[in-house]
Amino acid sequence: MSTRDSWRNSWGSGYGGGGLSFGGTSAWGAGGGDTIFRVLSRTSERQSKRRSGIISGFSEDGIYEEDDISVYSERDIPLPPISKAEDWALMPDVKNYAERGEKDHLKSKKLGITWKNLTVKGLGSDAAFNENVASQFNVPRNIKEGRQPPPLNTIIDDSHGCVKPGEMLLVLGRPGSGCTSLLKMLANRRNGYAQVEGDIHFGSMTAKEAGQYRGQIVMNTEEELFFPTLTVGQTMDFATRMKVPYHKFSDQHRDKDFQQEYRDFLLKAMGITHTSATKIGNEYVRGVSGGERKRVSIIETLATRGSVFCWDNSTRGLDASTALQYTKAIRAMTDVVGLSTVVSLYQAGNGIYDLFDKVLVLDEGKQIFYGPREQARPFMEELGFVCGDGANVADFLTGVTVPTERSVRPGFESSFPRTATEIRDDYSRSDIKAIMGKEYNYPQTDEAKDNTKEFKEAVAWDKDKSLPKQSPLTVSFPKQVKACVVRQYQIVWGDKPTFIIKQVATLVQALVVGSLFYKSSTDSSGLFSKSGALFFSLLYQALMALSEVTDSFAGRPVLAKHKAFAFFHPAAFCIAQIAADIPVLLFQVSQFSLVLYFMVSLRLSASAFFIYWVTLLAIAMCITAVMRAIGAVFSTFDGATKLSGFWFSALITYTGYFIPKNRMHPWFVWIYWIDPLSYGFEILMANEVHGQTIPCVNSNLVPNGPGYTDSAFQSCAGVPGAIQGATTVTGDQYLQAFSYKHSHLWRNFGIIWAWWAFFVVVTIVATSNWKEMAGKSGFLVIPRENAKKNTQLLQNDEESQMKEKPASRGQLAPLDSSTSSMDEKTIENQLISNTSVFTWKNLTYTVKTPSGDRVLLDNVQGWVKPGMLGALMGSSGAGKTTLLDVLAQRKTEGTITGSVLVDGRPTTVSFQRSAGYCEQLDIHEPLATVREALEFSALLRQCSSVPKEEKLKYVDTIINLLEMQDIEHTLVGRTGAGLSVEQRKRLTIGVELVAKPSILIFLDEPTSGLDGQAAFNTLRFLRKLAAVGQAVLVTIHQPSALLFKEFDTLLLLARGGKTVYFGDIGVEASTLKDYFARNGAPCPQGVNPAEHMIDVVSGSASQGKDWNQIWLESPEHKEVSVEVDRINKEAAGKPPGTLDDGREFATPLWEQTKLVTHRMNVALFRNTDYINNKFALHIGSALFNGFTFWKIGSSVQELQLKLFTIFNFIFVAPGVINQLQPLFIDRRDIYEFREKKSKMYSWIAFVTGLIVSEFPYLCICAVLYFAPWYYTVGFTTDSDKAGATFFVMLFYEFIYTGIGQFVAAYAPNAVFASLVNPALITVLVSFCGVLVPYSQLQEFWRYWMYYLNPFNYLVSSILAFTVFDNVVQCDDHEFAVFNTPNSQTCAEYLAPYLAGLGARTNLVNPEATSGCRVCQYRYGSDYLSTLNIDDYDVGWRDAGIVVIFAISSYVMVYLFMKLRTKATKTAE
């Protein structure tokens, strides 16, 4: 074996089989640096023929050759260095690592991928319908469409290729061409695709055989999916812990040694060591920058230590220098370790392109080229296409099928291939295909078989011996659990506010409820309140567990990713959640129990308290497991909330508190047996009353009062279990009345844990079966009502696919092309020009952090003039977006100093709406169409003096300008189902343009996520805007040399927001190059100046210089300072270019409200998932409530059932609120992140629109609950009473919606809101007079909380309407039966009692002299008097108060939204 062979194998083995150690530093490559040692072969053909002494491959000039290897005798002349990434920075570490691997004789994990005849089909066509609330009920059409099989859409058509160990393949294609799907196939991810045909081999294994090695065949997707509250270090700690090999290097003894070196190396490799202690964050949690987050995504994928890597557009969001360093690092690892690497990129500069061995070009799923990189450009040029000087070759290859992007060589105009099919046909006839086809037998070669055998041995050597042979995992199950537990605690601790709110809410609830049931008596009057306290103890634990459903969906994408990486078994994650639950729930239950138990004066013995405490703990664990299982089983949040809301209602109803077991109807009694709460309630009741003797008192003792002291002539009444004629009842008699037994106590405890175990298993099984997103390619979504406007999108005939395509549907053609739909003059006339000059000087932005003040911008200055296109650049994390936000006055935190002036004057109140700002994140209302989004912006942001017709005409202009006529009537949608990334980006620009910004336009990363040609077209479009007089300032990450030429000026920032350069770029970047050359960093010939200067500022070419200091000392800096002052002085002396009308918003509030409400109405009308869930929850709950309390009779106990069925109506709220709040918060985020900052409309209009849009559906919901419930339970059919009940129910819909919305209005996120809900609802439920009757409420609460509670008036009014006139007929066991003294008649004996305390009781046998039978009540009104309802008119009074509460709950939404709305910061 040659030295280099041994190096390579030892790296591969150490990497794949033996672990990592890097000689004190680290290995694979620093994001900032470059160096790699030599590797064996230039191409894979060399590797495959090494045994026969022949090296074959394509030479640099593209000629296929076969050479004798003996020329390069290893003893005489070493092979020339082959790796294209020789200048990688960590050479000593790599050598050290390789030597250690060789010394330990570790095996390599080389594999390779080969595929032939690969065709992939997905469900669905290019466009799909979005049904609305009305159209979904068109049954005939639904049946007709349902009979038609769903159309199959060919995503990849007959692809083939081979990537051997040590090779890198670049997959090129425009968005939607199938690149991601191809990478998924090559990463063995087939879920969600309708049909996959063809052969894929990994080494010599089939795709099925390779399934057990999923942790070695990995894919890095375009999305960055992380737990936002974890730090970068914690995230990487976890990833590296999960891949520590069982057999490490001989000089490594502890797992921790490997893990820490590996983690530190990876952080260093991408240059993000400094972010280790920073939260990763997301759109809403402050954390690392977007570029840094992308680098964390990259190194987390590398942490898998895989053999085959697929990278899907992994440079998105990285600056040009970092993107190049990333590709070099991947190149180096591929060469040294023998990886097989497949990379798809949308914007690949020539520096990146040249690092690849092979190129595969896809167009609409068709493979139009596959071969050596050196041959790709010549092949296309031979067909007649021209690649311009300095152009990106990758962009050239993807643009050959688009008329507006390709250039054709003279003489080929009539013969060049026009479609993807024609180019593929030409490729099929070429020598390149024939030569590449020779590789497709690679899986059958000895090399592949040997590699695969070694690979399997190396994986087995890596794997912990306790794992099953078929397991794709690496570390033992206990280690997985341990790492997951640590991470779970870190997640909890990272989100401390949520944790603290939970615990404080629990303490407050315990205090409130403890005071509610304070010192409940030990006689019969305390039985009901004590059982209420025990029921509430269970109810609160169940309410707190409801938030688990929301949590389950928040973390699901991350877990699906980690499952694909084979980090851990889902069971480890589920066990970790439980382990993290235990201390949290221990603390939660303990503080709740200690407070409530003793305040209520429950049974005072140590054993009784322990049983109470341990039962609550078991119930908290069990219901948490129930809700977690529901979250895991469902694939959609809407489906999970639907079931969790209904299931929660069922659990509460069948606990045994509302309706005793012996009163349950046979069709639903099974719920009692599967309800963990029912077992808990029996335990708590038995624990409390067993062995006690309970005297009957007050209304439970008949007769009582003055003169009635002899218990021989008294009897208990209305106390379950009491023997007629007795004045006391034993605890066990009381339990027997509810079918409870004290002997069931520990049996029930065991059953609760059995249910817990069952739901944990369900969660584990469901989590194990979580699938990735379905494999549909992106498709447009058409609102059903717009079907006729979109006929061109619905035609899917074969002929149309054979024609030449335009710039692609909804994509922008170059504005100077002959196909452009408008001539230059028209554009100039219609676009608004600008005369204002915008300057900023000495701008500093400071924010407070836990470690002190942090400066994000440091004395930045510059200007943008009309007609100028300015670039704002810098490395990731340099403060580009921050500067844009500060200039656009979009920051609400921190301190800004310096000046920001328009025409030499401070910015005015109308500045924010006069400047356009295109966010990096394309945030839009997903249920609006493209035209609706543009019209909404135009109508609200153009001056109110402009006629509506003119505003809408301008929208037509912008739609034409952006070439979006084909998609103007399609929904914005979400990624995958709606507009593509590019179309969405173009809409973002359009939304700002239709507003006619009169000062300037800011754009943050407008080319991020676009392919090279789309990025170029976007820049040409901005150039055109500048040409007609607009001022444009753009942040940009990876401009190609062609893109960079389009800019006039550059503001270059280094880390910490320090200026490195501001000024003209010059022709061919000459001015910029001169500046850097003068200061010791000349730009090499042929290098993209944009990439070079980023590298100089933050990369390997920085030479250790302080470029900010060089700038500050340069003559250019002095000139800029003088020029800023001159511009300001000159502009201040002239009339302002933009007149300020003094108004914050362009349109009046009433006009805003109408437009916003209309948009919300349309969005809700199209949101069938949300509305259907709302309807289903109401119908389901109503039927469940109705059939649970079916045809209630008129006995005393049934009066209480009527109370409880009305009380049960309250519990429709939690489920609907949990579903309503995420929608509210989504809408609020769109408003706050874009529309509020653009001063599009007021927060008042926003709140009004959200509130009013719900009204029609709330009215329908009231009907859907009332009709199935009211008549089913057997309430009176009198229309006046039924109508009055419906009236109150209708307004309750408004009350709980208002409550849900005002909580959401102020909550930072949906999880926080779902934690506040239980606290709020339990307080309202507690004080509504049901759990504790009015007369037993503590005085502290009785005179204010009771009267401030809307639920009190809801229950009271419905009770008054439905129960007041009922005639009560006692069941036999409900009568108080006793004898009279001295042979008196019952009437004589009870005369004083019936005239006083017993005035509302009913003596049914007044003439009898023994066995007097007294019923507690005569009429429903007698029962209602105990609930503080003394008159039928109270019902109407309370109904009126319900209306007032409905109004006030909406007032609270306005109030909390106002409190949340912060003023933006301006420079001081």
Side-chain angles (χ1 to χ4, degrees):
M1 185 187 283
S2 72
T3 306
R4 278 166 313 151
D5 249 322
S6 64
W7 274 2
R8 181 166 187 164
N9 283 344
S10 58
W11 178 292
S13 56
Y15 165 82
L20 270 165
S21 185
F22 305 96
T25 7
S26 26
W28 288 357
D34 335 302
T35 321
I36 191 140
F37 66 84
R38 298 168 302 166
V39 288
L40 209 46
S41 68
R42 182 167 61 198
T43 70
S44 57
E45 289 295 328
R46 293 178 183 273
Q47 299 164 1
S48 64
K49 297 198 176 180
R50 183 175 293 112
R51 292 197 177 119
S52 60
I54 298 294
I55 297 180
S56 59
F58 286 89
S59 67
E60 285 301 316
D61 55 9
I63 300 167
Y64 191 73
E65 60 184 16
E66 295 197 350
D67 297 329
D68 196 287
I69 197 168
S70 63
V71 175
Y72 301 107
S73 168
E74 289 172 334
R75 281 183 294 275
D76 305 323
I77 309 166
L79 278 170
I82 305 298
S83 176
K84 296 174 180 132
E86 283 181 75
D87 53 347
W88 200 39
L90 300 175
M91 177 68 163
D93 298 348
V94 175
K95 272 189 177 177
N96 174 276
Y97 171 76
E99 287 162 6
R100 291 161 74 191
E102 183 181 4
K103 186 177 76 173
D104 290 347
H105 305 292
L106 299 173
K107 295 182 184 295
S108 68
K109 291 200 295 184
K110 293 182 281 190
L111 208 51
I113 329 166
T114 312
W115 67 101
K116 290 188 296 186
N117 310 321
L118 179 63
T119 298
V120 180
K121 294 184 179 180
L123 286 176
S125 57
D126 291 341
F129 282 117
N130 180 82
E131 300 294 348
N132 57 51
V133 173
S135 71
Q136 65 180 331
F137 296 114
N138 187 334
V139 178
R141 190 189 59 228
N142 293 344
I143 292 171
K144 181 184 172 186
E145 291 180 358
R147 283 178 178 165
Q148 298 168 352
L152 290 182
N153 184 28
T154 301
I155 300 169
I156 298 169
D157 186 9
D158 193 24
S159 176
H160 45 83
C162 177
V163 184
K164 296 179 184 175
E167 286 187 345
M168 284 178 72
L169 169 68
L170 175 61
V171 178
L172 294 173
R174 305 190 61 161
S177 59
C179 297
T180 299
S181 292
L182 177 60
L183 261 64
K184 280 189 175 182
M185 291 299 111
L186 302 186
N188 215 13
R189 296 186 177 191
R190 298 183 169 210
N191 287 335
Y193 292 95
Q195 203 172 306
V196 179
E197 298 167 357
D199 299 321
I200 304 180
H201 282 85
F202 298 88
S204 61
M205 296 183 288
T206 63
K208 190 172 183 181
E209 291 168 337
Q212 73 180 82
Y213 298 103
R214 70 167 184 262
Q216 297 298 316
I217 303 166
V218 293
M219 177 173 175
N220 176 255
T221 59
E222 213 172 340
E223 299 85 26
E224 292 102 45
L225 304 169
F226 296 104
F227 290 109
T229 56
L230 291 182
T231 66
V232 172
Q234 288 166 346
T235 302
M236 291 312 302
D237 259 340
F238 179 78
T240 47
R241 273 197 191 108
M242 294 289 93
K243 289 292 179 176
V244 176
Y246 185 71
H247 294 98
K248 292 167 280 298
F249 282 130
S250 54
D251 58 354
Q252 280 183 329
H253 304 294
R254 299 186 309 157
D255 287 355
K256 199 169 184 180
D257 297 338
F258 171 89
Q259 182 260 324
Q260 287 183 347
E261 282 183 43
Y262 191 21
R263 176 202 63 198
D264 295 344
F265 158 66
L266 288 172
L267 291 168
K268 190 175 174 186
M270 283 291 132
I272 51 172
T273 309
H274 63 282
T275 67
S276 187
T278 310
K279 283 184 182 179
I280 288 187
N282 58 13
E283 309 95 287
Y284 312 122
V285 176
R286 185 186 291 171
V288 296
S289 72
E292 288 165 342
R293 195 176 301 127
K294 172 57 78 177
R295 283 184 268 174
V296 178
S297 176
I298 289 167
I299 60 175
E300 187 187 43
T301 306
L302 292 176
T304 60
R305 298 169 54 249
S307 302
V308 174
F309 283 92
C310 296
W311 303 90
D312 188 17
N313 198 17
S314 296
T315 59
R316 186 177 84 170
L318 299 183
D319 60 76
S321 172
T322 307
L324 182 60
Q325 295 309 322
Y326 150 75
T327 315
K328 281 185 177 179
I330 301 296
R331 172 80 263 177
M333 288 180 264
T334 302
D335 288 338
V336 177
V337 186
L339 304 178
S340 302
T341 302
V342 184
V343 183
S344 75
L345 296 175
Y346 285 155
Q347 293 183 43
N350 288 337
I352 291 173
Y353 176 80
D354 290 339
L355 290 170
F356 288 86
D357 301 309
K358 297 176 178 176
V359 173
L360 188 154
V361 186
L362 285 176
D363 191 285
E364 292 186 340
K366 298 177 180 68
Q367 187 168 307
I368 61 173
F369 179 84
Y370 163 68
R373 171 186 52 80
E374 300 88 349
Q375 288 293 299
R377 177 174 172 175
F379 169 76
M380 292 299 181
E381 288 182 329
E382 283 172 18
L383 296 181
F385 301 108
V386 177
C387 182
D389 293 336
N392 280 349
V393 179
D395 296 345
F396 161 67
L397 295 175
T398 57
V400 292
T401 58
V402 184
T404 55
E405 293 177 13
R406 64 188 173 210
S407 297
V408 180
R409 201 188 314 164
F412 282 80
E413 290 86 354
S414 59
S415 61
F416 76 91
R418 284 162 168 74
T419 65
T421 305
E422 289 174 14
I423 298 176
R424 182 168 66 173
D425 292 344
D426 284 329
Y427 170 74
S428 298
R429 292 189 289 269
S430 71
D431 292 340
I432 298 172
K433 180 170 184 186
I435 294 166
M436 300 311 290
K438 292 178 182 179
E439 295 183 329
Y440 300 159
N441 69 343
Y442 176 73
Q444 285 76 49
T445 63
D446 290 340
E447 181 189 353
K449 290 173 182 174
D450 292 346
N451 279 345
T452 306
K453 185 183 175 192
E454 272 200 22
F455 165 83
K456 290 180 177 178
E457 290 170 356
V459 171
W461 189 249
D462 257 8
K463 195 163 36 176
D464 193 281
K465 299 306 172 197
S466 64
L467 292 170
K469 278 187 177 180
Q470 302 295 315
S471 173
L473 309 173
T474 304
V475 300
S476 66
F477 189 71
K479 287 179 182 174
Q480 294 171 36
V481 173
K482 183 182 174 186
C484 287
V485 169
V486 169
R487 182 181 67 171
Q488 207 61 31
Y489 281 124
Q490 288 169 340
I491 290 170
V492 171
W493 193 241
D495 191 14
K496 287 191 282 289
T498 301
F499 173 76
I500 291 166
I501 284 163
K502 251 185 177 180
Q503 302 315 318
V504 170
T506 300
L507 180 61
V508 170
Q509 281 297 315
L511 288 167
V512 168
V513 178
S515 63
L516 177 69
F517 299 102
Y518 188 63
K519 288 192 175 177
S520 292
S521 63
T522 54
D523 54 37
S524 65
S525 64
L527 280 175
F528 185 70
S529 59
K530 280 186 177 178
S531 61
L534 297 176
F535 168 73
F536 185 87
S537 302
L538 299 175
L539 171 68
Y540 185 72
Q541 310 310 320
L543 274 168
M544 288 301 279
L546 264 179
S547 64
E548 287 299 328
V549 178
T550 312
D551 283 349
S552 171
F553 283 87
R556 180 174 296 196
V558 185
L559 301 174
K561 176 180 75 170
H562 287 173
K563 181 188 171 188
F565 285 170
F567 276 172
F568 52 81
H569 192 279
F573 170 72
C574 296
I575 292 167
Q577 279 189 311
I578 294 161
D581 286 343
I582 291 169
V584 173
L585 291 178
L586 270 172
F587 181 75
Q588 181 178 305
V589 168
S590 296
Q591 62 162 340
F592 184 87
S593 302
L594 284 165
V595 172
L596 187 134
Y597 193 89
F598 296 106
M599 284 184 76
V600 178
S601 293
L602 295 174
R603 192 169 193 169
L604 293 175
S605 76
S607 62
F609 174 75
F610 172 76
I611 290 169
Y612 172 84
W613 174 81
V614 81
T615 303
L616 287 198
L617 182 63
I619 286 294
M621 293 286 285
C622 187
I623 302 301
T624 298
V626 171
M627 294 306 166
R628 217 169 258 162
I630 290 172
V633 166
F634 279 84
S635 59
T636 64
F637 178 70
D638 280 339
T641 49
K642 200 186 298 180
L643 182 68
S644 64
F646 183 73
W647 188 236
F648 176 80
S649 179
L651 291 182
I652 296 303
T653 305
Y654 281 83
T655 300
Y657 174 71
F658 285 163
I659 179 167
K661 180 183 168 293
N662 51 18
R663 288 275 181 175
M664 293 176 187
H665 294 291
W667 50 77
F668 277 155
V669 75
W670 57 270
I671 298 174
Y672 174 84
W673 296 115
I674 65 167
D675 182 356
L677 293 181
S678 69
Y679 295 99
F681 190 61
E682 183 174 0
I683 292 173
L684 296 183
M685 288 294 290
N687 181 52
E688 180 58 31
V689 303
H690 170 66
Q692 301 214 28
T693 300
I694 303 150
C696 296
V697 296
N698 302 336
S699 61
N700 294 129
L701 185 62
V702 178
N704 70 72
Y708 298 101
T709 54
D710 190 343
S711 60
F713 305 107
Q714 293 175 303
S715 177
C716 290
V719 181
I723 297 169
Q724 290 178 334
T727 56
T728 61
V729 61
T730 67
D732 291 302
Q733 288 171 341
Y734 184 72
L735 291 174
Q736 187 63 46
F738 297 105
S739 306
Y740 292 163
K741 289 183 181 175
H742 182 260
S743 59
H744 291 171
L745 196 149
W746 293 110
R747 179 206 73 173
N748 286 6
F749 186 72
I751 291 171
I752 291 169
W753 284 109
W755 278 121
W756 170 82
F758 170 75
F759 286 113
V760 167
V761 170
V762 168
T763 307
I764 291 170
V765 171
T767 306
S768 301
N769 291 320
W770 277 353
K771 299 283 193 293
E772 301 149 55
M773 292 298 289
K776 279 186 178 180
S777 59
F779 57 91
L780 295 168
V781 182
I782 301 166
R784 177 65 77 173
E785 63 271 25
N786 285 5
K788 291 178 181 174
K789 299 177 183 176
N790 283 287
T791 48
Q792 81 282 2
L793 294 182
L794 299 168
Q795 291 163 355
N796 199 16
D797 58 293
E798 290 299 316
E799 279 183 49
S800 66
Q801 293 178 18
M802 296 302 293
K803 297 174 186 171
E804 282 190 72
K805 57 185 172 205
S808 169
R809 182 174 296 141
Q811 294 178 344
L812 180 68
L815 289 169
D816 55 354
S817 73
S818 59
T819 58
S820 183
S821 57
M822 292 182 159
D823 60 43
E824 304 277 322
K825 204 72 187 160
T826 310
I827 290 170
E828 287 184 22
N829 290 340
Q830 292 191 319
L831 286 174
I832 189 167
S833 62
N834 169 32
T835 57
S836 291
V837 63
F838 182 70
T839 63
W840 58 96
K841 187 172 183 185
N842 300 332
L843 205 57
T844 300
Y845 178 56
T846 312
V847 293
K848 294 191 182 300
T849 67
S851 55
D853 286 354
R854 184 178 170 194
V855 177
L856 298 182
L857 296 174
D858 190 359
N859 282 307
V860 184
Q861 54 188 358
W863 63 80
V864 189
K865 296 177 181 177
M868 174 178 137
L869 181 57
L872 174 52
M873 294 180 67
S875 60
S876 297
K880 303 182 293 295
T881 300
T882 303
L883 176 57
L884 228 54
D885 283 345
V886 168
L887 292 178
Q889 295 185 2
R890 292 186 166 221
K891 290 291 184 190
T892 56
E893 308 288 341
T895 307
I896 304 167
T897 57
S899 65
V900 177
L901 305 176
V902 177
D903 293 328
R905 301 164 174 83
T907 56
T908 60
V909 71
S910 63
F911 169 75
Q912 280 172 272
R913 65 176 168 84
S914 303
Y917 189 114
C918 298
E919 296 268 4
Q920 186 174 351
L921 298 166
D922 303 308
I923 300 173
H924 298 283
E925 166 55 63
L927 290 163
T929 65
V930 169
R931 174 170 279 281
E932 286 165 359
L934 294 171
E935 288 182 350
F936 184 71
S937 180
L939 292 170
L940 282 168
R941 289 180 62 190
Q942 288 189 32
C943 186
S944 56
S945 59
V946 178
K948 181 178 178 180
E949 294 73 23
E950 196 175 314
K951 291 179 182 180
L952 298 180
K953 189 178 176 185
Y954 192 65
V955 169
D956 293 334
T957 301
I958 299 301
I959 286 174
N960 290 329
L961 199 62
L962 292 169
E963 297 285 340
M964 296 181 94
Q965 302 96 321
D966 280 357
I967 58 169
E968 62 176 306
H969 297 297
T970 65
L971 294 182
V972 174
R974 301 188 187 276
T975 311
L979 302 186
S980 68
V981 175
E982 183 192 3
Q983 291 162 345
R984 206 172 286 269
K985 187 66 71 181
R986 210 170 304 296
L987 175 61
T988 301
I989 296 170
V991 162
E992 296 304 314
L993 288 181
V994 293
K996 291 190 175 179
S998 56
I999 297 176
L1000 82 163
I1001 301 173
F1002 299 102
L1003 297 102
D1004 191 13
E1005 299 294 345
T1007 61
S1008 186
L1010 306 186
D1011 66 288
Q1013 195 61 48
F1016 180 68
N1017 288 338
T1018 302
L1019 253 291
R1020 290 291 295 272
F1021 175 64
L1022 297 178
R1023 177 77 266 168
K1024 183 60 60 179
L1025 290 176
V1028 297
Q1030 268 291 0
V1032 185
L1033 182 61
V1034 181
T1035 66
I1036 192 159
H1037 261 318
Q1038 299 175 44
S1040 64
L1042 273 174
L1043 252 62
F1044 196 55
K1045 278 185 200 172
E1046 297 293 325
F1047 291 101
D1048 301 313
T1049 60
L1050 170 69
L1051 173 52
L1052 182 59
L1053 296 178
R1055 182 165 292 284
K1058 298 176 187 294
T1059 306
V1060 173
Y1061 179 82
F1062 176 76
D1064 290 342
I1065 293 172
V1067 179
E1068 301 293 332
S1070 55
T1071 310
L1072 182 65
K1073 287 178 182 175
D1074 287 349
Y1075 173 78
F1076 280 102
R1078 266 192 290 115
N1079 290 291
C1083 181
Q1085 188 69 29
V1087 171
N1088 178 355
E1091 292 179 11
H1092 170 69
M1093 52 152 200
I1094 295 285
D1095 216 18
V1096 167
V1097 173
S1098 60
S1100 57
S1102 64
Q1103 306 168 15
K1105 294 182 179 180
D1106 184 346
W1107 286 93
N1108 173 243
Q1109 195 57 39
I1110 292 170
W1111 165 253
L1112 294 175
E1113 293 168 2
S1114 70
E1116 284 87 350
H1117 171 251
K1118 293 182 180 65
E1119 288 169 16
V1120 166
S1121 300
V1122 170
E1123 181 65 7
V1124 170
D1125 292 336
R1126 188 196 67 77
I1127 290 171
N1128 286 336
K1129 189 175 179 182
E1130 188 178 303
K1134 296 178 182 175
T1138 306
L1139 293 172
D1140 176 37
D1141 57 12
R1143 292 207 304 264
E1144 188 178 6
F1145 304 103
T1147 48
L1149 182 60
W1150 174 242
E1151 193 63 29
Q1152 294 171 36
T1153 305
K1154 282 196 298 184
L1155 289 167
V1156 174
T1157 304
H1158 176 69
R1159 181 175 73 159
M1160 300 288 188
N1161 278 331
V1162 170
L1164 220 50
F1165 184 61
R1166 290 173 180 159
N1167 194 345
T1168 50
D1169 280 349
Y1170 172 74
I1171 297 299
N1172 289 352
N1173 275 351
K1174 218 180 181 74
F1175 289 171
L1177 200 58
H1178 278 79
I1179 294 169
S1181 298
L1183 289 171
F1184 180 71
N1185 192 0
F1187 282 99
T1188 294
F1189 296 95
W1190 171 262
K1191 298 296 180 191
I1192 305 172
S1194 53
S1195 68
V1196 171
Q1197 196 166 5
E1198 284 169 322
L1199 286 174
Q1200 199 163 30
L1201 293 185
K1202 288 182 179 178
L1203 167 66
F1204 281 137
T1205 188
I1206 293 165
F1207 182 60
N1208 217 27
F1209 169 54
I1210 289 173
F1211 290 97
V1212 76
V1216 180
I1217 287 174
N1218 269 6
Q1219 181 205 356
L1220 169 153
Q1221 286 172 335
L1223 183 77
F1224 186 101
I1225 289 168
D1226 276 352
R1227 297 284 187 273
R1228 189 194 69 193
D1229 289 341
I1230 293 170
Y1231 170 67
E1232 289 188 338
F1233 280 83
R1234 186 170 65 82
E1235 294 166 342
K1236 183 181 94 170
K1237 292 174 179 176
S1238 300
K1239 298 295 180 186
M1240 194 180 276
Y1241 54 87
S1242 162
W1243 62 270
I1244 297 172
F1246 168 75
V1247 173
T1248 307
L1250 265 175
I1251 289 172
V1252 172
S1253 61
E1254 290 272 3
F1255 284 178
Y1257 306 103
L1258 294 179
C1259 295
I1260 296 169
C1261 282
V1263 173
L1264 293 178
Y1265 199 104
F1266 174 80
W1269 168 70
Y1270 185 86
Y1271 298 103
T1272 316
V1273 294
F1275 285 147
T1276 175
T1277 54
D1278 292 355
S1279 57
D1280 59 332
K1281 290 169 182 171
T1285 303
F1286 174 74
F1287 175 80
V1288 176
M1289 290 174 70
L1290 173 63
F1291 277 90
Y1292 175 61
E1293 296 285 338
F1294 298 141
I1295 287 175
Y1296 78 70
T1297 302
I1299 290 170
Q1301 287 181 335
F1302 81 63
V1303 170
Y1306 201 69
N1309 54 52
V1311 174
F1312 180 94
S1314 69
L1315 293 173
V1316 173
N1317 297 337
L1320 193 58
I1321 287 168
T1322 46
V1323 167
L1324 294 176
V1325 162
S1326 304
F1327 293 98
C1328 69
V1330 174
L1331 297 181
V1332 180
Y1334 174 78
S1335 59
Q1336 293 180 29
L1337 277 173
Q1338 298 300 316
E1339 288 188 4
F1340 175 74
W1341 299 115
R1342 192 188 304 168
Y1343 296 118
W1344 68 282
M1345 182 62 89
Y1346 176 80
Y1347 289 107
L1348 289 177
N1349 189 342
F1351 290 7
N1352 158 34
Y1353 300 100
L1354 167 76
V1355 173
S1356 296
S1357 54
I1358 297 179
L1359 275 172
F1361 296 139
T1362 55
V1363 176
F1364 198 85
D1365 296 335
N1366 290 9
V1367 176
V1368 178
Q1369 294 176 332
C1370 273
D1371 289 343
D1372 274 351
H1373 67 86
E1374 293 175 335
F1375 282 104
V1377 181
F1378 50 88
N1379 294 322
T1380 59
N1382 307 322
S1383 301
Q1384 288 178 290
T1385 63
C1386 296
E1388 291 168 349
Y1389 174 59
L1390 293 175
Y1393 173 71
L1394 294 174
L1397 292 174
R1400 291 185 179 274
T1401 60
N1402 182 19
L1403 173 62
V1404 296
N1405 54 345
E1407 300 305 319
T1409 55
S1410 63
C1412 301
R1413 295 165 68 83
V1414 177
C1415 184
Q1416 257 186 305
Y1417 309 113
R1418 299 165 302 163
Y1419 302 103
S1421 56
D1422 299 327
Y1423 169 67
L1424 294 183
S1425 67
T1426 66
L1427 300 175
N1428 198 34
I1429 305 171
D1430 296 320
D1431 196 337
Y1432 182 80
D1433 291 341
V1434 168
W1436 282 110
R1437 179 203 71 186
D1438 289 353
I1441 296 172
V1442 166
V1443 174
I1444 293 168
F1445 270 107
I1447 295 166
S1448 62
S1449 69
Y1450 285 128
V1451 170
M1452 293 289 280
V1453 186
Y1454 286 97
L1455 177 64
F1456 278 106
M1457 197 67 199
K1458 173 60 179 170
L1459 290 174
R1460 186 183 168 81
T1461 305
K1462 297 177 183 175
T1464 51
K1465 297 279 182 179
T1466 54
E1468 296 169 6

